[in-house]
Amino acid sequence: MLEPQFKMYIKPSCPFCKKAKHLISNDLGLPLTLTDVTDNDVLRNELIEETGIKTVPIIYLGDHLIGGCSDLEESMLSGKMEVLLLKEEISLLKKEIDLLRRSA
């Protein structure tokens, strides 16, 4: 089954990371991949360069940067998350259709 996938870069001791994890896993009920950046300065610096975000969590929905915990909360409260989830589902369906066409 195709489902939108969240990726989150975290530090396990971070309360905002724990809150964002709860929002995604419990409130949205969606899969979440966690990557601990606590002892990985190279990855941490790459993320800062890529996103401009210097704190954790850094949250992605598919390839779309959501931002941090407050950005996630705001998008959920405003209804923007529903639109983002629909766009991600459409993207996943298009990829699946392309694969099916190639295999036919």
Side-chain angles (χ1 to χ4, degrees):
M1 182 175 177
L2 297 174
E3 284 187 297
Q5 299 285 318
F6 280 89
K7 295 178 283 186
M8 191 164 68
Y9 297 90
I10 64 160
K11 292 184 179 180
S13 61
C14 168
F16 296 104
C17 297
K18 292 175 185 175
K19 183 175 186 177
K21 179 182 175 188
H22 178 82
L23 290 171
I24 293 167
S25 297
N26 293 25
D27 293 4
L28 295 175
L30 291 169
L32 172 63
T33 301
L34 301 174
T35 302
D36 184 356
V37 297
T38 303
D39 296 320
N40 191 337
D41 290 337
V42 172
L43 177 57
R44 189 74 190 102
N45 289 330
E46 287 173 3
L47 288 167
I48 292 169
E49 177 86 17
E50 179 182 317
T51 67
I53 300 172
K54 296 180 181 180
T55 59
V56 290
I58 297 174
I59 307 164
Y60 283 89
L61 172 58
D63 294 329
H64 177 80
L65 175 64
I66 300 294
C69 185
S70 60
D71 299 309
L72 175 67
E73 285 181 297
E74 188 276 322
S75 68
M76 291 173 71
L77 291 172
S78 70
K80 182 180 176 185
M81 181 56 65
E82 291 177 23
V83 174
L84 293 173
L85 288 169
L86 286 172
K87 286 181 178 181
E88 181 63 15
E89 288 173 348
I90 290 168
S91 175
L92 291 170
L93 287 171
K94 285 180 179 179
K95 289 176 187 175
E96 190 67 20
I97 289 168
D98 286 343
L99 286 173
L100 289 170
R101 285 181 178 155
R102 287 186 206 137
S103 66

XYZ file of all heavy atoms in Angstrom:
816
model
N 0.847 -1.188 0.000
C 0.000 0.000 0.000
C 0.884 1.241 0.000
O 1.845 1.336 0.757
C -0.888 -0.028 1.236
C -1.837 1.115 1.316
S -2.932 0.883 2.734
C -3.832 2.364 2.611
N 0.547 2.172 -0.852
C 1.305 3.403 -0.923
C 0.814 4.376 0.142
O -0.374 4.650 0.243
C 1.131 4.052 -2.292
C 1.646 3.267 -3.487
C 1.259 3.976 -4.771
C 3.142 3.108 -3.396
N 1.740 4.862 0.938
C 1.414 5.848 1.953
C 2.473 6.941 1.941
O 3.640 6.664 1.682
C 1.411 5.229 3.352
C 0.221 4.386 3.670
C 0.218 3.970 5.130
O 1.149 3.256 5.540
O -0.713 4.364 5.830
N 2.060 8.166 2.240
C 3.059 9.219 2.391
C 4.056 8.833 3.480
O 3.686 8.242 4.486
C 2.237 10.433 2.810
C 0.861 10.153 2.296
C 0.707 8.657 2.404
N 5.306 9.142 3.247
C 6.368 8.794 4.188
C 6.988 10.068 4.765
O 7.394 10.953 4.020
C 7.472 8.001 3.479
C 7.005 6.694 2.892
C 6.791 5.631 3.935
O 7.578 5.484 4.853
N 5.709 4.896 3.811
N 7.059 10.117 6.065
C 7.737 11.205 6.741
C 9.155 10.768 7.075
O 9.392 9.606 7.423
C 7.031 11.575 8.048
C 5.823 12.432 7.857
C 4.577 11.856 7.663
C 5.926 13.810 7.882
C 3.449 12.646 7.499
C 4.810 14.612 7.718
C 3.563 14.019 7.521
N 10.102 11.695 6.952
C 11.479 11.504 7.406
C 11.739 12.604 8.424
O 11.374 13.758 8.205
C 12.481 11.656 6.262
C 12.383 10.610 5.189
C 13.395 10.876 4.088
C 12.875 11.996 3.214
N 13.666 12.283 2.046
N 12.396 12.230 9.521
C 12.679 13.232 10.534
C 14.088 13.025 11.072
O 14.470 11.914 11.432
C 11.649 13.131 11.670
C 11.711 14.285 12.634
S 10.240 14.443 13.686
C 10.368 13.009 14.703
N 14.847 14.109 11.083
C 16.201 14.111 11.650
C 16.078 14.636 13.065
O 15.508 15.703 13.297
C 17.129 14.970 10.783
C 17.253 14.399 9.394
C 16.387 14.782 8.377
C 18.222 13.441 9.116
C 16.487 14.228 7.108
C 18.331 12.890 7.847
C 17.455 13.286 6.856
O 17.557 12.723 5.606
N 16.612 13.847 14.017
C 16.336 14.121 15.429
C 17.578 13.995 16.305
O 18.616 13.508 15.879
C 15.294 13.122 15.975
C 15.868 11.690 15.945
C 13.989 13.205 15.221
C 15.164 10.731 16.861
N 17.397 14.416 17.534
C 18.248 14.055 18.666
C 17.281 13.449 19.677
O 16.279 14.089 20.033
C 18.962 15.274 19.233
C 20.011 15.842 18.281
C 20.769 16.982 18.912
C 21.819 17.508 17.936
N 22.577 18.629 18.510
N 17.515 12.205 20.111
C 16.549 11.502 20.965
C 16.141 12.249 22.229
O 15.030 12.086 22.711
C 17.259 10.193 21.301
C 18.194 9.970 20.168
C 18.656 11.350 19.769
N 17.021 13.073 22.770
C 16.696 13.784 24.006
C 15.872 15.054 23.773
O 15.417 15.676 24.736
C 17.989 14.147 24.734
O 18.777 15.007 23.924
N 15.648 15.415 22.531
C 14.955 16.664 22.191
C 13.439 16.535 22.407
O 12.794 15.686 21.794
C 15.250 17.012 20.737
S 14.207 18.320 20.065
N 12.859 17.395 23.252
C 11.412 17.313 23.489
C 10.578 17.664 22.251
O 9.485 17.136 22.070
C 11.166 18.314 24.623
C 12.352 19.213 24.622
C 13.496 18.427 24.063
N 11.093 18.539 21.395
C 10.370 18.891 20.176
C 10.364 17.723 19.190
O 9.393 17.524 18.464
C 10.965 20.142 19.534
C 10.821 21.354 20.404
C 11.902 21.854 21.107
C 9.589 21.985 20.554
C 11.772 22.958 21.930
C 9.435 23.094 21.365
C 10.537 23.582 22.060
N 11.443 16.946 19.182
C 11.505 15.742 18.344
C 10.477 14.725 18.816
O 9.774 14.115 18.002
C 12.906 15.132 18.374
S 14.189 16.202 17.698
N 10.386 14.564 20.123
C 9.409 13.618 20.696
C 7.985 14.059 20.371
O 7.136 13.242 20.015
C 9.605 13.510 22.202
C 10.909 12.827 22.583
C 11.135 12.850 24.082
C 12.511 12.272 24.410
N 12.841 12.367 25.826
N 7.727 15.350 20.470
C 6.391 15.873 20.173
C 6.048 15.676 18.697
O 4.938 15.233 18.367
C 6.311 17.353 20.535
C 4.943 17.949 20.324
C 4.889 19.382 20.817
C 3.474 19.919 20.727
N 3.380 21.274 21.271
N 6.995 15.985 17.804
C 6.755 15.824 16.366
C 6.532 14.352 16.017
O 5.653 14.022 15.216
C 7.924 16.399 15.569
N 7.310 13.483 16.641
C 7.140 12.040 16.414
C 5.729 11.615 16.821
O 5.067 10.864 16.099
C 8.188 11.262 17.203
C 8.066 9.766 17.052
C 9.092 9.029 17.889
C 8.863 7.531 17.800
N 9.696 6.786 18.712
N 5.267 12.086 17.951
C 3.920 11.759 18.422
C 2.860 12.280 17.445
O 1.902 11.565 17.119
C 3.686 12.339 19.814
C 2.320 12.078 20.342
N 1.971 10.889 20.929
C 1.203 12.850 20.345
C 0.692 10.930 21.271
N 0.209 12.114 20.936
N 3.020 13.507 16.977
C 2.045 14.086 16.047
C 1.940 13.264 14.762
O 0.842 12.996 14.272
C 2.418 15.533 15.711
C 2.248 16.556 16.821
C 2.862 17.893 16.428
C 0.774 16.720 17.175
N 3.092 12.855 14.225
C 3.090 12.102 12.974
C 2.588 10.680 13.193
O 1.707 10.206 12.469
C 4.494 12.096 12.341
C 4.868 13.518 11.898
C 4.553 11.129 11.152
C 6.330 13.703 11.542
N 3.125 10.010 14.185
C 2.781 8.599 14.413
C 1.372 8.421 14.967
O 0.633 7.553 14.507
C 3.781 7.954 15.368
O 5.064 7.960 14.805
N 1.001 9.231 15.941
C -0.280 9.029 16.621
C -1.414 9.837 15.996
O -2.470 9.285 15.721
C -0.158 9.362 18.101
C 0.738 8.387 18.827
O 1.610 7.775 18.233
N 0.536 8.246 20.111
N -1.201 11.134 15.803
C -2.288 11.981 15.298
C -2.543 11.754 13.808
O -3.693 11.698 13.380
C -2.003 13.457 15.570
C -2.019 13.788 17.054
O -2.173 12.861 17.882
O -1.875 14.967 17.395
N -1.476 11.644 13.018
C -1.644 11.405 11.580
C -1.657 9.915 11.252
O -2.188 9.508 10.223
C -0.528 12.097 10.779
C -0.511 13.628 10.840
C 0.717 14.172 10.115
C -1.792 14.210 10.242
N -1.038 9.106 12.107
C -1.006 7.660 11.896
C -0.231 7.239 10.662
O -0.595 6.273 10.005
N 0.834 7.952 10.383
C 1.608 7.677 9.167
C 3.012 7.171 9.481
O 3.556 7.444 10.549
C 1.683 8.939 8.307
C 0.349 9.346 7.688
C 0.440 10.726 7.073
C -0.107 8.326 6.661
N 3.605 6.439 8.535
C 4.965 5.927 8.729
C 5.972 7.061 8.886
O 5.834 8.126 8.280
C 5.248 5.138 7.454
C 3.931 4.907 6.813
C 3.036 6.020 7.258
N 6.983 6.788 9.683
C 7.993 7.785 10.002
C 9.353 7.111 10.073
O 9.518 6.100 10.754
C 7.657 8.437 11.351
C 8.661 9.384 11.970
C 8.885 10.605 11.088
C 8.174 9.811 13.351
N 10.308 7.662 9.355
C 11.690 7.205 9.426
C 12.474 8.229 10.227
O 12.459 9.420 9.898
C 12.303 7.059 8.019
O 11.519 6.135 7.273
C 13.735 6.586 8.093
N 13.150 7.767 11.278
C 13.935 8.649 12.137
C 15.421 8.457 11.867
O 15.882 7.325 11.731
C 13.654 8.340 13.608
C 12.218 8.483 14.074
C 12.077 7.995 15.509
C 11.755 9.919 13.959
N 16.158 9.564 11.829
C 17.610 9.524 11.711
C 18.195 10.379 12.827
O 17.922 11.582 12.902
C 18.082 10.052 10.336
O 17.470 9.273 9.309
C 19.590 9.979 10.214
N 18.985 9.746 13.679
C 19.623 10.430 14.803
C 20.862 11.163 14.292
O 21.746 10.558 13.696
C 20.005 9.407 15.864
C 20.595 10.015 17.129
O 20.794 11.252 17.184
O 20.852 9.240 18.067
N 20.929 12.464 14.531
C 22.073 13.271 14.090
C 22.960 13.688 15.262
O 23.864 14.509 15.082
C 21.611 14.521 13.302
C 20.895 14.127 12.031
C 20.749 15.436 14.160
N 22.714 13.113 16.430
C 23.428 13.514 17.646
C 24.938 13.495 17.463
O 25.614 14.470 17.786
C 23.038 12.606 18.829
O 21.625 12.662 19.005
C 23.731 13.046 20.102
N 25.481 12.406 16.964
C 26.935 12.271 16.828
C 27.391 12.288 15.379
O 28.457 11.768 15.057
C 27.387 10.965 17.495
C 27.125 10.972 18.993
O 27.334 12.030 19.617
O 26.697 9.926 19.526
N 26.601 12.871 14.499
C 26.933 12.886 13.083
C 27.033 14.331 12.596
O 26.098 14.863 11.981
C 25.881 12.098 12.291
C 26.305 11.840 10.865
O 27.134 12.542 10.310
N 25.705 10.825 10.267
N 28.176 14.954 12.870
C 28.372 16.359 12.505
C 28.342 16.578 10.995
O 27.878 17.627 10.532
C 29.695 16.886 13.066
C 29.663 17.017 14.580
O 28.556 17.136 15.145
O 30.739 16.987 15.199
N 28.799 15.610 10.234
C 28.804 15.751 8.769
C 27.367 15.860 8.256
O 27.017 16.780 7.503
C 29.558 14.582 8.090
C 29.396 14.625 6.585
C 31.029 14.602 8.484
N 26.519 14.921 8.661
C 25.123 14.952 8.242
C 24.432 16.202 8.765
O 23.672 16.857 8.045
C 24.389 13.697 8.722
C 22.891 13.637 8.407
C 22.627 13.762 6.901
C 22.295 12.353 8.960
N 24.705 16.554 10.004
C 24.086 17.741 10.607
C 24.425 18.997 9.801
O 23.555 19.809 9.509
C 24.596 17.866 12.055
C 23.904 18.892 12.844
C 22.486 18.411 13.234
N 21.795 19.547 13.784
C 20.899 20.267 13.124
N 20.530 19.943 11.929
N 20.337 21.306 13.670
N 25.704 19.140 9.419
C 26.113 20.294 8.625
C 25.496 20.276 7.227
O 25.141 21.330 6.691
C 27.644 20.368 8.551
C 28.245 20.773 9.880
O 27.630 21.496 10.659
N 29.442 20.301 10.152
N 25.352 19.084 6.634
C 24.698 18.975 5.327
C 23.238 19.425 5.415
O 22.742 20.114 4.524
C 24.762 17.534 4.813
C 26.137 17.110 4.354
C 26.209 15.623 4.008
O 25.170 14.922 4.074
O 27.319 15.164 3.675
N 22.570 19.028 6.484
C 21.176 19.427 6.670
C 21.037 20.927 6.866
O 20.121 21.549 6.322
C 20.568 18.688 7.866
C 20.294 17.206 7.648
C 20.002 16.517 8.977
C 19.148 17.011 6.678
N 21.937 21.515 7.633
C 21.908 22.970 7.837
C 22.125 23.675 6.509
O 21.419 24.629 6.175
C 22.964 23.403 8.878
C 22.571 22.890 10.261
C 23.131 24.921 8.891
C 23.660 23.025 11.311
N 23.080 23.190 5.720
C 23.369 23.775 4.403
C 22.151 23.649 3.485
O 21.782 24.599 2.786
C 24.576 23.062 3.786
C 24.933 23.511 2.411
C 25.847 24.710 2.396
O 26.464 25.019 3.425
O 25.936 25.338 1.327
N 21.531 22.475 3.496
C 20.401 22.198 2.608
C 19.131 22.947 3.009
O 18.397 23.447 2.157
C 20.120 20.693 2.609
C 18.963 20.256 1.748
C 18.722 18.762 1.848
O 19.688 17.984 1.826
O 17.547 18.376 1.949
N 18.867 23.013 4.317
C 17.582 23.536 4.783
C 17.652 24.924 5.407
O 16.633 25.611 5.485
C 16.970 22.596 5.837
O 17.794 22.614 7.016
C 16.840 21.178 5.311
N 18.814 25.284 5.918
C 18.936 26.531 6.666
C 18.451 26.401 8.098
O 18.487 27.363 8.865
N 18.009 25.209 8.481
C 17.496 24.968 9.831
C 18.635 24.458 10.709
O 19.275 23.469 10.376
C 16.338 23.948 9.807
C 15.188 24.476 8.948
C 15.863 23.643 11.222
C 14.089 23.456 8.700
N 18.849 25.138 11.824
C 19.962 24.781 12.715
C 19.530 23.969 13.927
O 20.353 23.583 14.737
C 20.681 26.052 13.167
C 21.327 26.794 12.016
C 22.035 28.039 12.478
C 22.644 28.760 11.283
N 23.338 29.969 11.663
N 18.230 23.739 14.066
C 17.712 22.980 15.210
C 17.059 21.696 14.713
O 16.829 21.521 13.522
C 16.675 23.811 15.984
O 15.599 24.153 15.103
C 17.300 25.079 16.555
N 16.789 20.805 15.640
C 16.047 19.594 15.323
C 14.684 19.685 15.993
O 14.545 20.430 16.967
C 16.803 18.319 15.787
C 18.020 18.088 14.939
C 17.157 18.366 17.260
N 13.702 19.006 15.471
C 13.738 18.108 14.331
C 13.720 18.861 13.002
O 13.321 20.021 12.942
C 12.438 17.306 14.480
C 11.491 18.277 15.118
C 12.349 19.079 16.070
N 14.172 18.163 11.983
C 13.998 18.611 10.605
C 13.107 17.552 9.961
O 13.461 16.379 9.931
C 15.340 18.749 9.873
C 16.197 19.816 10.560
C 15.110 19.074 8.396
C 17.596 19.943 10.006
N 11.952 17.993 9.484
C 10.916 17.066 9.037
C 10.659 17.223 7.540
O 10.488 18.340 7.042
C 9.602 17.314 9.804
C 9.851 17.287 11.316
C 8.530 16.318 9.391
C 8.735 17.889 12.144
N 10.618 16.069 6.865
C 10.266 16.014 5.445
C 9.043 15.133 5.278
O 8.880 14.133 5.968
C 11.394 15.364 4.639
C 12.585 16.243 4.384
C 13.639 16.301 5.286
C 12.682 17.004 3.221
C 14.745 17.086 5.054
C 13.791 17.792 2.975
C 14.817 17.832 3.890
O 15.926 18.614 3.650
N 8.211 15.490 4.321
C 7.138 14.624 3.838
C 7.521 14.288 2.405
O 7.496 15.164 1.533
C 5.789 15.329 3.888
C 4.617 14.590 3.239
C 4.411 13.217 3.879
C 3.342 15.414 3.331
N 7.948 13.043 2.189
C 8.527 12.696 0.889
C 9.771 13.547 0.699
O 10.648 13.579 1.556
N 9.824 14.292 -0.395
C 10.955 15.186 -0.653
C 10.660 16.628 -0.259
O 11.487 17.509 -0.455
C 11.333 15.140 -2.140
C 11.872 13.784 -2.545
O 12.487 13.105 -1.699
O 11.687 13.394 -3.717
N 9.475 16.874 0.285
C 9.050 18.226 0.657
C 9.463 18.542 2.089
O 9.100 17.828 3.024
C 7.530 18.365 0.506
C 7.002 19.677 0.935
N 7.059 20.802 0.132
C 6.428 20.072 2.101
C 6.537 21.821 0.787
N 6.144 21.407 1.981
N 10.214 19.615 2.272
C 10.626 20.051 3.606
C 9.443 20.685 4.322
O 8.879 21.676 3.858
C 11.773 21.058 3.503
C 12.237 21.697 4.812
C 12.827 20.647 5.754
C 13.240 22.809 4.534
N 9.060 20.096 5.457
C 8.012 20.661 6.304
C 8.612 21.734 7.199
O 8.056 22.803 7.371
C 7.348 19.578 7.181
C 6.710 18.489 6.322
C 6.346 20.191 8.158
C 5.553 18.943 5.489
N 9.778 21.449 7.782
C 10.441 22.365 8.704
C 10.636 21.693 10.044
O 10.977 20.510 10.108
N 10.374 22.425 11.109
C 10.532 21.895 12.459
C 9.195 21.538 13.078
O 8.159 21.506 12.405
N 9.207 21.297 14.367
C 8.008 20.883 15.087
C 6.904 21.943 15.007
O 5.741 21.618 14.755
C 8.352 20.581 16.549
S 6.967 19.931 17.504
N 7.250 23.205 15.195
C 6.226 24.256 15.145
C 5.642 24.384 13.739
O 4.453 24.665 13.578
C 6.779 25.598 15.633
O 7.868 26.008 14.833
N 6.468 24.157 12.710
C 5.962 24.181 11.326
C 4.983 23.027 11.091
O 3.961 23.196 10.426
C 7.121 24.090 10.326
C 8.084 25.243 10.462
O 7.641 26.407 10.461
O 9.300 24.980 10.586
N 5.317 21.864 11.635
C 4.437 20.708 11.528
C 3.101 20.999 12.208
O 2.034 20.777 11.627
C 5.095 19.477 12.163
C 4.248 18.208 12.232
C 3.968 17.669 10.837
C 4.941 17.158 13.093
N 3.163 21.519 13.429
C 1.942 21.843 14.168
C 1.089 22.861 13.412
O -0.128 22.689 13.290
C 2.285 22.414 15.542
C 2.751 21.401 16.539
C 3.037 22.052 17.876
O 3.941 22.904 17.959
O 2.339 21.687 18.845
N 1.721 23.901 12.918
C 0.993 24.953 12.203
C 0.319 24.397 10.961
O -0.833 24.730 10.671
C 1.959 26.092 11.834
C 1.279 27.322 11.259
C 1.007 27.211 9.767
O 1.839 26.658 9.034
O -0.059 27.682 9.330
N 1.037 23.531 10.228
C 0.448 22.972 9.009
C -0.730 22.046 9.332
O -1.689 21.968 8.563
C 1.505 22.254 8.176
O 1.963 21.089 8.818
N -0.665 21.375 10.458
C -1.775 20.513 10.866
C -2.984 21.343 11.306
O -4.121 21.033 10.940
C -1.336 19.568 11.987
C -0.348 18.509 11.516
S 0.330 17.500 12.855
C -1.120 16.526 13.292
N -2.751 22.391 12.058
C -3.840 23.240 12.554
C -4.509 24.043 11.442
O -5.723 24.253 11.457
C -3.334 24.183 13.644
C -2.941 23.529 14.971
C -2.272 24.541 15.895
C -4.159 22.916 15.638
N -3.721 24.484 10.469
C -4.253 25.336 9.406
C -4.949 24.556 8.290
O -5.608 25.143 7.441
C -3.120 26.166 8.793
O -2.247 25.314 8.042
N -4.765 23.238 8.275
C -5.322 22.436 7.182
C -4.357 22.249 6.030
O -4.635 21.506 5.086
N -3.219 22.914 6.091
C -2.217 22.800 5.028
C -1.678 21.370 4.916
O -1.354 20.903 3.823
C -1.074 23.782 5.286
C -0.013 23.793 4.222
C 1.088 24.801 4.539
C 2.195 24.727 3.515
N 3.311 25.594 3.853
N -1.614 20.658 6.039
C -1.090 19.297 6.021
C -1.946 18.389 5.144
O -1.428 17.535 4.440
C -0.989 18.731 7.441
C -0.418 17.317 7.507
S 1.202 17.107 6.731
C 2.220 18.131 7.778
N -3.255 18.579 5.175
C -4.140 17.775 4.329
C -3.789 17.946 2.857
O -3.746 16.979 2.102
C -5.595 18.147 4.570
C -6.115 17.733 5.931
C -7.540 18.181 6.181
O -8.287 18.420 5.208
O -7.909 18.290 7.353
N -3.530 19.173 2.459
C -3.154 19.453 1.071
C -1.804 18.819 0.749
O -1.641 18.199 -0.310
C -3.126 20.980 0.808
C -2.591 21.292 -0.582
C -4.509 21.578 1.004
N -0.847 18.951 1.654
C 0.471 18.364 1.436
C 0.394 16.844 1.325
O 1.064 16.234 0.481
C 1.427 18.757 2.564
C 1.805 20.235 2.647
C 2.607 20.503 3.911
C 2.581 20.660 1.415
N -0.432 16.227 2.168
C -0.597 14.778 2.121
C -1.242 14.344 0.805
O -0.830 13.353 0.198
C -1.420 14.285 3.309
C -0.704 14.318 4.655
C -1.681 14.076 5.797
C 0.441 13.320 4.695
N -2.235 15.086 0.347
C -2.866 14.765 -0.941
C -1.871 14.896 -2.094
O -1.829 14.047 -2.987
C -4.080 15.661 -1.179
C -5.313 15.338 -0.354
C -6.377 16.410 -0.536
C -5.867 13.972 -0.718
N -1.067 15.949 -2.074
C -0.051 16.121 -3.118
C 0.948 14.975 -3.106
O 1.349 14.479 -4.162
C 0.677 17.462 -2.946
C -0.153 18.654 -3.348
C 0.651 19.942 -3.182
C -0.133 21.143 -3.608
N 0.636 22.395 -3.467
N 1.351 14.550 -1.920
C 2.306 13.441 -1.808
C 1.667 12.143 -2.301
O 2.308 11.356 -2.994
C 2.792 13.297 -0.365
C 3.804 12.194 -0.160
C 5.113 12.373 -0.904
O 5.413 13.485 -1.383
O 5.856 11.386 -1.010
N 0.406 11.918 -1.964
C -0.288 10.718 -2.440
C -0.390 10.714 -3.966
O -0.185 9.682 -4.605
C -1.674 10.620 -1.812
C -1.630 10.251 -0.342
C -2.991 10.317 0.333
O -3.957 10.860 -0.267
O -3.092 9.831 1.467
N -0.691 11.855 -4.556
C -0.760 11.961 -6.014
C 0.602 11.669 -6.625
O 0.709 10.941 -7.625
C -1.288 13.353 -6.431
C -2.762 13.476 -6.080
C -1.058 13.611 -7.918
C -3.319 14.884 -6.180
N 1.646 12.203 -6.028
C 3.002 11.951 -6.516
C 3.335 10.462 -6.465
O 3.906 9.903 -7.417
C 4.009 12.752 -5.692
O 5.320 12.451 -6.058
N 2.989 9.807 -5.375
C 3.238 8.374 -5.238
C 2.444 7.579 -6.272
O 2.966 6.627 -6.870
C 2.876 7.901 -3.829
C 3.775 8.392 -2.701
C 3.157 8.042 -1.352
C 5.166 7.833 -2.828
N 1.199 7.967 -6.498
C 0.373 7.277 -7.497
C 0.931 7.449 -8.905
O 0.943 6.503 -9.696
C -1.068 7.777 -7.432
C -1.864 7.315 -6.218
C -3.200 8.043 -6.148
C -2.080 5.810 -6.254
N 1.402 8.644 -9.228
C 2.005 8.884 -10.544
C 3.230 8.000 -10.750
O 3.425 7.431 -11.828
C 2.379 10.361 -10.712
C 1.194 11.254 -10.958
C 1.631 12.694 -11.125
C 0.465 13.609 -11.397
N 0.885 15.014 -11.539
N 4.056 7.875 -9.722
C 5.239 7.020 -9.813
C 4.836 5.568 -10.025
O 5.438 4.852 -10.824
C 6.105 7.150 -8.554
C 6.815 8.467 -8.443
C 7.572 8.588 -7.129
C 8.142 9.974 -6.946
N 8.779 10.143 -5.637
N 3.809 5.125 -9.320
C 3.329 3.748 -9.460
C 2.762 3.504 -10.857
O 3.007 2.464 -11.466
C 2.274 3.452 -8.384
C 1.880 2.016 -8.291
C 2.979 1.099 -7.790
O 3.947 1.568 -7.155
O 2.864 -0.115 -8.030
N 2.023 4.462 -11.381
C 1.473 4.349 -12.731
C 2.597 4.266 -13.755
O 2.560 3.445 -14.680
C 0.518 5.525 -13.037
C -0.761 5.368 -12.213
C 0.212 5.613 -14.529
C -1.650 6.601 -12.200
N 3.627 5.099 -13.586
C 4.778 5.053 -14.494
C 5.443 3.679 -14.469
O 5.821 3.141 -15.512
C 5.800 6.138 -14.149
C 5.352 7.530 -14.564
O 4.417 7.638 -15.384
O 5.940 8.501 -14.051
N 5.597 3.101 -13.280
C 6.193 1.773 -13.163
C 5.337 0.725 -13.863
O 5.861 -0.168 -14.549
C 6.376 1.395 -11.703
C 7.506 2.090 -10.939
C 7.447 1.735 -9.458
C 8.838 1.713 -11.519
N 4.042 0.812 -13.690
C 3.139 -0.139 -14.332
C 3.184 -0.022 -15.860
O 3.166 -1.020 -16.565
C 1.713 0.066 -13.837
C 1.446 -0.361 -12.396
C 0.062 0.115 -11.947
C 1.583 -1.859 -12.244
N 3.267 1.202 -16.351
C 3.337 1.425 -17.800
C 4.614 0.842 -18.382
O 4.610 0.288 -19.475
C 3.233 2.905 -18.124
C 1.837 3.458 -17.973
C 1.780 4.903 -18.334
N 0.405 5.393 -18.223
C 0.075 6.640 -18.001
N 1.016 7.574 -17.884
N -1.186 6.990 -17.897
N 5.706 1.002 -17.646
C 6.997 0.476 -18.131
C 7.038 -1.043 -18.143
O 7.716 -1.640 -18.954
C 8.147 1.009 -17.263
C 8.423 2.451 -17.511
C 9.659 2.915 -16.760
N 9.527 4.343 -16.523
C 9.815 4.963 -15.405
N 10.301 4.291 -14.389
N 9.663 6.246 -15.280
N 6.295 -1.664 -17.212
C 6.336 -3.116 -17.122
C 5.333 -3.784 -18.068
O 5.348 -4.997 -18.226
C 6.070 -3.576 -15.690
O 4.744 -3.256 -15.308
N 4.466 -2.997 -18.682
C 3.432 -3.564 -19.578
C 3.999 -3.884 -20.944
O 4.949 -3.438 -21.413
C 2.269 -2.601 -19.701
